[in-house]
Amino acid sequence: MKEKIFRNYLEIRSQEDFIEVKKPSQNYFVDLTNPNDFQLNKFFYKNIGKNCQWVDRLIWTDLNWIKYVSNKNLFTYILREKDEIAGYFELLFNKENKEAEIAYFGILEEYFGKKLGGYLLSEAIKKSFTFGSKRVWVHTCSLDHKNALKNYLARGMKIFKSETL
């Protein structure tokens, strides 16, 4: 018997609706990878995704990853604690629609419980609005971290679509 998976799509359309979480300490910062490094995206996908059943890209070759990160509309941000990597998010910006999708988002397991999810999501939403986005959206499912949906809602995002798979 297969497990039912519940997926929610969420959005935020206004900075006025945004509820920010500040940096938990001065040891943490978020910066843009420039240039994009497919090895970083691949590392985070595998290591964060192993607990969330992210499996679609496990079959990708390095060439697939290189092509993906070469998309000029993809921006990868890394959460660091001093010199250590702790998490990441990928933003896909659609200039025509003025929309940003938080394509992937997560924190490495050893950083769970440090109140970083709200801060990292706040940074993703803020960065999206600095691109000129009129809408920031994401999808999450019941396989993601148990606090994922609560985090999105707590930042001011609203569910616009739900489905059962």
Side-chain angles (χ1 to χ4, degrees), residues 73-134:
N73 297 316
L74 176 72
F75 301 89
T76 302
Y77 290 85
I78 306 298
L79 170 64
R80 296 181 189 274
E81 179 185 30
K82 296 181 181 172
D83 293 332
E84 298 296 318
I85 57 175
Y88 87 129
F89 59 86
E90 295 176 1
L91 296 179
L92 278 169
F93 183 63
N94 182 318
K95 290 178 185 174
E96 290 99 44
N97 295 343
K98 295 196 183 303
E99 292 184 353
E101 176 188 1
I102 303 171
Y104 283 91
F105 172 93
I107 295 170
L108 295 171
E109 194 170 8
E110 55 267 33
Y111 288 91
F112 284 5
K114 296 185 180 212
K115 306 282 186 202
L116 295 172
Y119 165 63
L120 187 59
L121 181 57
S122 291
E123 290 297 304
I125 292 170
K126 284 193 312 189
K127 303 283 186 205
S128 297
F129 281 126
T130 64
F131 286 128
S133 296
K134 302 294 181 202

Side-chain angles (χ1 to χ4, degrees), residues 9 14 18 20 36 38 47 49 55 57 63 83 87 94 107 109 115-116 124 148 150 157:
Y9 295 81
S14 167
F18 173 49
E20 182 176 1
N36 279 338
F38 84 93
N47 286 280
V55 296
R57 296 181 181 179
L63 194 57
D83 293 332
N94 182 318
I107 295 170
E109 194 170 8
K115 306 282 186 202
L116 295 172
K150 287 188 272 187
M157 299 186 97

Side-chain angles (χ1 to χ4, degrees), residues 37-81:
D37 178 353
F38 84 93
Q39 294 287 10
L40 265 175
N41 294 69
K42 183 178 174 180
F43 168 83
F44 281 119
Y45 182 88
K46 285 182 173 183
N47 286 280
I48 292 169
K50 70 182 175 195
N51 296 322
C52 306
Q53 296 184 29
W54 295 355
V55 296
D56 297 356
R57 296 181 181 179
L58 294 178
I59 61 169
W60 278 17
T61 65
D62 286 353
L63 194 57
N64 292 121
W65 280 104
I66 290 167
K67 183 177 178 185
Y68 175 71
V69 302
S70 297
N71 178 344
K72 65 181 175 32
N73 297 316
L74 176 72
F75 301 89
T76 302
Y77 290 85
I78 306 298
L79 170 64
R80 296 181 189 274
E81 179 185 30

Side-chain angles (χ1 to χ4, degrees), residues 19 42 144 158:
I19 303 161
K42 183 178 174 180
D144 289 340
K158 306 279 188 255

